[in-house]
Amino acid sequence: MAHLGRRPTAHQRSALEWLNPESTVLGCGVVSRLEIDHRVDWATSHLTLFDLLDRMCDHHQWLKTIDGWALVPGRGKRAFVPPDDPRHPRNAGGEQRPPPG
Ligand SMILES: [Zn+2]
């Protein structure tokens, strides 16, 4: 049985750093001490998938862990929203809402 490591491989890590030199969080310019965020919890996914990794500074990581903030669905640099925001993945529920206005 293949062992799938929890940590991203060195290759995944460099690819991620090349694609996202900054924090994935829109408006966050932190470029040092970034954590690699597991978009899907390890206990759920049992895989470290390149597509499921975002980079986040410790401040935003903290907001996510403590206050339930999350990146809006998508890829690359994007908004990071509080749990009561309609764009929060928990509120989106797989259903596309029409844009306001
Ligand atoms: Zn940040």
Side-chain angles (χ1 to χ4, degrees):
M1 192 174 178
H3 174 74
L4 298 165
R6 175 176 187 144
R7 307 294 300 175
T9 65
H11 179 77
Q12 286 173 322
R13 188 176 282 270
S14 357
L16 196 63
E17 282 170 7
W18 183 77
L19 286 167
N20 293 335
E22 295 183 349
S23 165
T24 310
V25 177
L26 190 69
C28 176
V30 173
V31 293
S32 61
R33 297 191 305 132
L34 289 175
E35 298 296 325
I36 292 187
D37 178 49
H38 284 263
R39 219 182 281 177
V40 176
D41 188 76
W42 166 250
T44 308
S45 69
H46 288 252
L47 289 168
T48 296
L49 298 173
F50 176 70
D51 266 0
L52 295 176
L53 297 172
D54 287 311
R55 306 183 76 209
M56 219 176 254
C57 70
D58 49 6
H59 169 69
H60 282 112
Q61 190 84 50
W62 186 87
L63 277 177
K64 180 193 167 174
T65 308
I66 305 300
D67 285 342
W69 285 51
L71 285 159
V72 298
R75 300 183 63 127
K77 210 168 174 77
R78 56 204 193 278
F80 189 66
V81 296
D84 59 352
D85 189 291
R87 292 170 297 164
H88 192 286
R90 208 179 289 162
N91 301 330
E95 185 184 324
Q96 284 290 349
R97 290 169 188 239

